[in-house]
Each structure stands twice: as structure tokens, then as C-alpha cells.
């Protein structure tokens, strides 16, 4: 039985950590495994970092650039070279590939999100392996994914994947960074993300931008979509086939038994909130426990400047995010009606607006443990 797989490989796995030079043997092994998976009938997406790192090497830069414009220029140099290398390796095994460059804006817009989903499905139908990266050359800070771990989790949800593999420079998740703390304990299985509350996130490498914290966030996004997620050693690509065969390698995150639907995943993770609504204790409890619609009476404060249908964070009285949703009123309107009963809204605004501030169909609980 075929399974849709998303494989994310980081810069730390693709390159030599000291020189930044591409680790060609690692890339070749990864390509070979992906081609084997394709021959077995599995649709595969490869989310690949490395464009900036390859560009730095090509231009003989001593360190990763910090200036945005320079980083984007270096990414433009590196992306073409990286794809050429992939194309050479995949072509040697007669496997067609496609380059897919995304920005957060591509997923924030609902029509573009659906178009992207359709494109991936057509590539799968054609037997093509899509190779995905963030479009670093044109992305602006407010529309960046921040790291390819998050991008890979969002792509996994977009293509309704069965597995997300996060390949990194350690063999699994540990209770602390094993490179600096030899007594760190391995974590082989995570059934509940709250178990990781005390885990110390690993540091990022010289050439990469991610860390273990971003992989845990990616696992939260993916498992919420019903996708089994694995963190494992990137230098040993054969681990992927062994894990699919049932071996307990790396750290595996169990998918949620009742994943949220595609639209709510889009609201929860693809959209960038434009503001924040803080609720009283009763309203917050009703949303966390029952996912009920949000009424104006439960809102204590409104923050940010946004229009109707914008994405907002929903927080409890202590400022902790409990949900996200699409509002039926602008921030200016909400500042007038917050704390008011629904039957008072027409007199305050001068017209009969929506009864709910956020309807439950457009609201997603994001608290890790909603039953708490």
C-alpha cells in the first residue's frame, strides 16, 4: 500500500559543517532511497534546504550573510546550483524532478493554497518528485516561513501526507543537546507533545537556520494534521526505508487520532495573524473545551489593526494563545462591541452585523492539551 511521504533535509545534513561544501555522498544516498520509494509506488516530496549555504560556498563567503538583500542574492546563486546537482543525481536513475519555490504568501491566500495543492497532485500523477524550498530570493520577513522545518510540515499538510521525515545531524531527539551534554537521554517515541515541555532545544549549526525547537514545532503542525512524524539522522538515508518497514529508529511522533480538517489547518498554521483578542475566563474555557463560536461579550481587549476576515490569535486572560480564527469584524468595530451582548451590536454599530465574532467553523483550538 502506497503512502505519501514528505522528506525534509537540512543544510547540516547536506553539507560539511566545517567547510560548507556539499556532502555529495549523502545527497547520492538520499536520491537513491527516494528513487526506491518512488519505484515502490510512494509519492515523495523532498523539502531541501541548502541554497544559501551552497551560494556561500560558490561565492567563497566565510559565513552566512546577515543582511537580507545579500542573503537573497546568495540564495539566487545557490538555488540554481543546488537544483543542478539534484537533477544530475536523479537523472542518472531516470527519475524526473520539479522545482517548487514557495513563500508564506503562497499559502496565506486560499486560492493559491488550493492551486498549490492541485499542482502537487498533478506532479504525483506524472511520477515526478517535487523538490521544495522557500523562495528566499523574493520572500520578505513578514511572509517567511522562518525555517524549512515549518515549511515541510505545511507542505505535508498541503499534500495530505502520511509521513513527514525530518532529517537532521543527530540520530533522534534527546532530553538535552548530546553534543554538549553526554548524559542526555534519548527519546524514541512521543505520544503527547506536552511530554517535551522540559526538553532543551538544540542549537543551530553554522550553516543552517533550524534547530531542534523548530522540528518540535513542525511535528506539532504535522501530527495535528494526522501525519506521523520522524526525526532521524540525515547522513543515513536508508533509515527511511527501515522506519517504513517497522524499525524503531529516530524519534517518532504519533499523529492525532482526530486530526483537524484541511481548512482549519490552513487557518491554524498557514495564515499569519494580524491581531489578537484576549478573552475572559468563561469565554476561553468555552472555546478550549467545546470549540464554540466566539461572541463579543467574551472579549476583554482587542490588539492590532485588521479588517474583517483577517486571521487573529485568541488568547486567555494571561495572554497565552488558545486558538486562532477568522474574524467577522474589523479591529475598529471590535473595539466598540467587545464585552457587549450580541443584541446590542446593531445599536452600537448602526447595522446588524454577524451574531458571532468568530464562527466555530472558522475557529481552531491551538492549545496543546485542550482538555486541560
Amino acid at each position: 500500500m502506497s503512502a505519501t511521504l514528505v522528506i525534509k533535509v537540512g543544510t547540516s545534513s547536506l553539507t560539511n559543517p566545517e567547510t560548507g561544501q556539499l556532502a555529495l555522498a549523502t545527497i547520492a544516498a538520499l536520491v537513491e532511497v527516494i528513487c526506491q520509494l518512488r519505484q515502490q509506488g510512494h509519492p515523495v516530496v523532498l523539502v531541501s534546504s541548502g541554497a544559501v549555504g551552497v551560494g556561500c560556498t560558490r561565492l567563497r563567503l566565510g559565513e552566512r550573510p546577515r543582511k537580507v538583500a545579500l542573503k537573497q542574492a546568495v540564495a539566487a546563486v545557490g538555488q540554481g546550483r543546488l537544483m543542478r546537482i539534484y537533477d544530475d543525481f536523479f537523472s542518472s536513475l531516470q527519475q524526473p524532478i520539479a522545482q517548487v519555490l514557495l513563500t508564506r504568501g503562497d499559502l496565506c491566500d486560499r486560492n493559491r493554497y488550493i492551486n498549490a495543492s492541485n499542482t502537487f497532485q498533478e506532479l504525483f500523477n506524472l511520477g515526478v518528485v517535487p523538490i521544495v524550498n522557500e523562495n528566499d530570493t523574493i520572500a520578505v520577513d513578514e511572509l517567511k516561513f522562518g525555517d524549512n522545518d515549518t515549511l515541510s510540515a505545511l507542505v505535508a499538510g498541503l499534500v495530505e501526507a502520511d509521513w513527514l521525515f525530518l532529517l537532521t545531524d543527530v540520530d533522534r531527539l534527546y532530553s538535552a543537546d548530546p553534543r554538549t551534554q553526554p548524559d542526555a537521554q534519548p527519546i524514541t517515541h512521543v505520544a503527547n507533545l506536552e511530554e517535551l515541555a522540559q526538553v532543551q532545544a538544540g542549537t543551530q549549526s553554522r550553516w543552517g537556520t533550524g534547530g531542534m525547537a523548530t522540528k518540535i514545532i513542525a511535528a506539532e503542525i504535522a501530527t495535528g494534521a494526522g501525519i506521523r512524524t520522524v526525526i532521524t539522522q540525515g547522513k543515513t538515508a536508508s533509515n527511511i526505508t527501515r522506519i517504513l518497514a517497522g524499525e524503531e529508529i529516530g524519534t517518532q511522533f504519533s499523529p492525532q487520532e482526530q486530526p483537524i480538517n484541511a481548512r482549519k489547518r490552513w487557518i491554524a498554521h498557514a495564515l499569519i495573524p494580524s491581531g489578537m483578542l484576549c478573552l475572559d475566563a468563561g469565554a476561553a474555557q468555552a472555546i478550549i473545551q467545546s470549540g464554540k463560536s466566539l461572541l463579543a461579550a467574551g472579549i476583554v481587549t482587542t490588539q492590532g489593526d485588521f479588517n474583517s476576515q483577517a486571521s487573529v490569535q485568541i488568547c486567555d486572560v494571561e495572554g497565552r494563545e488558545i486558538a486562532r480564527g477568522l474574524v467577522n469584524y474589523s479591529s475598529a468595530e471590535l473595539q466598540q462591541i467587545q464585552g457587549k451582548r450580541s443584541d446590542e451590536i446593531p445599536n452600537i454599530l448602526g447595522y446588524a452585523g454577524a451574531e458571532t465574532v468568530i464562527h466555530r467553523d472558522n475557529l481552531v483550538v491551538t492549545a496543546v492539551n485542550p482538555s486541560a
Side-chain angles (χ1 to χ4, degrees):
M1 183 176 179
S2 65
T4 300
L5 315 175
V6 174
I7 301 170
K8 183 267 176 177
V9 59
T11 302
S12 61
S13 298
L14 292 173
T15 59
N16 182 303
E18 299 301 324
T19 66
Q21 294 281 353
L22 284 172
L24 296 179
T26 299
I27 296 174
L30 176 61
V31 167
E32 186 173 6
V33 167
I34 291 174
C35 289
Q36 290 172 355
L37 293 169
R38 282 292 308 120
Q39 290 166 7
Q40 294 167 10
H42 302 298
V44 182
V45 177
L46 175 61
V47 179
S48 176
S49 302
V52 176
V54 172
C56 286
T57 302
R58 181 66 168 166
L59 297 170
R60 299 182 180 180
L61 301 180
E63 61 181 11
R64 191 181 184 92
R66 292 181 174 83
K67 183 180 175 183
V68 173
L70 177 57
K71 179 181 176 182
Q72 291 178 319
V74 170
V77 173
Q79 185 63 37
R81 186 166 177 80
L82 183 62
M83 284 303 299
R84 177 182 174 180
I85 291 167
Y86 276 128
D87 191 50
D88 287 344
F89 279 115
F90 277 104
S91 293
S92 67
L93 296 173
Q94 289 78 52
Q95 173 60 54
I97 63 172
Q99 176 178 242
V100 180
L101 297 177
L102 296 172
T103 67
R104 194 67 178 256
D106 296 320
L107 301 187
C108 286
D109 181 272
R110 185 62 179 165
N111 287 333
R112 287 156 69 186
Y113 182 90
I114 293 172
N115 286 343
S117 176
N118 292 338
T119 298
F120 277 108
Q121 291 306 316
E122 290 299 331
L123 289 171
F124 291 155
N125 293 339
L126 293 168
V128 173
V129 172
I131 299 181
V132 180
N133 195 2
E134 182 167 14
N135 197 346
D136 289 311
T137 303
I138 64 170
V140 293
D141 282 345
E142 60 268 26
L143 289 178
K144 287 182 70 65
F145 295 101
D147 60 86
N148 275 352
D149 294 321
T150 300
L151 172 59
S152 68
L154 292 174
V155 169
L158 181 71
V159 302
E160 298 184 346
D162 299 288
W163 291 81
L164 169 62
F165 291 90
L166 301 172
L167 307 186
T168 184
D169 55 354
V170 293
D171 59 345
R172 57 169 54 92
L173 188 64
Y174 286 82
S175 59
D177 190 337
R179 292 167 293 193
T180 57
Q181 300 188 40
D183 59 345
Q185 297 300 306
I187 300 172
T188 58
H189 184 260
V190 178
N192 187 331
L193 284 163
E194 282 198 330
E195 299 171 8
L196 301 181
Q198 303 302 318
V199 172
Q200 299 180 26
T203 57
Q204 67 186 43
S205 69
R206 177 186 177 193
W207 299 101
T209 58
M212 204 52 72
T214 62
K215 289 169 180 57
I216 293 171
I217 293 171
E220 180 181 354
I221 294 172
T223 55
I227 301 165
R228 184 171 294 276
T229 303
V230 184
I231 295 174
T232 189
Q233 174 68 257
K235 298 291 186 182
T236 312
S238 59
N239 282 350
I240 296 172
T241 53
R242 293 170 63 191
I243 291 168
L244 290 172
E247 291 191 43
E248 293 188 358
I249 300 172
T251 300
Q252 297 196 24
F253 297 78
S254 296
Q256 288 188 13
E257 293 182 1
Q258 296 180 324
I260 57 177
N261 63 38
R263 176 176 171 78
K264 289 196 173 185
R265 291 201 303 270
W266 173 70
I267 293 171
H269 302 300
L271 296 182
I272 300 173
S274 302
M276 182 170 69
L277 307 180
C278 291
L279 312 185
D280 61 35
Q285 185 178 33
I287 285 176
I288 291 175
Q289 293 186 345
S290 307
K292 291 184 176 180
S293 298
L294 174 62
L295 304 179
I299 302 175
V300 177
T301 60
T302 301
Q303 299 180 27
D305 183 12
F306 50 85
N307 296 320
S308 172
Q309 298 307 306
S311 169
V312 296
Q313 289 179 297
I314 304 168
C315 299
D316 61 17
V317 289
E318 297 181 3
R320 295 172 299 195
E321 180 182 307
I322 60 171
R324 293 190 180 190
L326 304 180
V327 289
N328 291 323
Y329 293 95
S330 69
S331 54
E333 292 168 326
L334 284 176
Q335 287 169 356
Q336 297 178 65
I337 65 174
Q338 64 188 30
K340 306 296 184 181
R341 298 192 314 271
S342 298
D343 58 10
E344 297 179 273
I345 293 176
N347 290 332
I348 296 172
L349 296 180
Y351 61 88
E355 181 179 349
T356 61
V357 172
I358 301 177
H359 191 274
R360 62 179 179 271
D361 291 345
N362 292 324
L363 185 149
V364 188
V365 175
T366 57
V368 172
N369 187 5
S371 62

